[in-house]
Amino acid sequence: MGNAKCGDIMKIYLKISDGVIADVKFETFGCGSAIASSSMATELIKGKPVEEALTLTNRAVAEALDGLPAHKLHCSVLAEEAIKAALKDYYDRQGIACDPAQFPDRAHCEGCGQ
Ligand code: FES
């Protein structure tokens, strides 16, 4: 999978109803830590208002997992970025104005080459 972008290895699908995240699904082709991070991130935002989901940090994901080894912390960053990309997509589709600075560029995974 060489130089695939993280957007290719981690995708988050949101079902949003009345501004609340009713359901979340994920698809992850990264390492075990990336899968655990995606799963935890979906649990953390389910049932939350969109604005609150946008404040989710990779640190919160890692803490909810009782920590990740330092060399795997970036896997939780992928989860945060995937959530934010899905939320940006929602804002764009709904025509809701938002601050682009809230949505980081998605990086490659240097750890596993994904
Ligand atoms: Fe975890 Fe690349 S996604 S090491």
Side-chain angles (χ1 to χ4, degrees):
M1 198 180 276
N3 287 326
K5 290 183 179 169
C6 289
D8 297 330
I9 63 166
M10 191 181 291
K11 286 194 168 82
I12 301 279
Y13 304 94
L14 302 173
K15 183 175 176 192
I16 297 173
S17 180
D18 293 332
V20 172
I21 297 174
D23 199 13
V24 194
K25 298 204 181 327
F26 71 91
E27 194 175 21
T28 301
F29 301 102
C31 69
S33 296
I35 294 168
S37 294
S38 315
S39 178
M40 182 55 78
T42 62
E43 289 304 314
L44 290 172
I45 65 167
K46 200 181 289 183
K48 301 268 171 64
V50 169
E51 298 76 23
E52 192 176 332
L54 196 51
T55 65
L56 180 75
T57 62
N58 80 296
R59 183 182 299 259
V61 172
E63 282 174 8
L65 289 169
D66 288 331
L68 284 170
H71 69 289
K72 290 291 185 178
L73 274 176
H74 68 277
C75 310
S76 62
V77 174
L78 301 186
E80 177 189 334
E81 291 176 353
I83 297 274
K84 289 184 173 166
L87 290 168
K88 175 79 166 68
D89 184 60
Y90 166 75
Y91 281 134
D92 288 347
R93 285 171 191 263
Q94 297 295 312
I96 300 170
C98 58
D99 179 2
Q102 289 181 292
F103 304 95
D105 287 338
R106 302 177 78 184
H108 295 277
C109 176
E110 302 294 337
C112 66
Q114 299 268 354

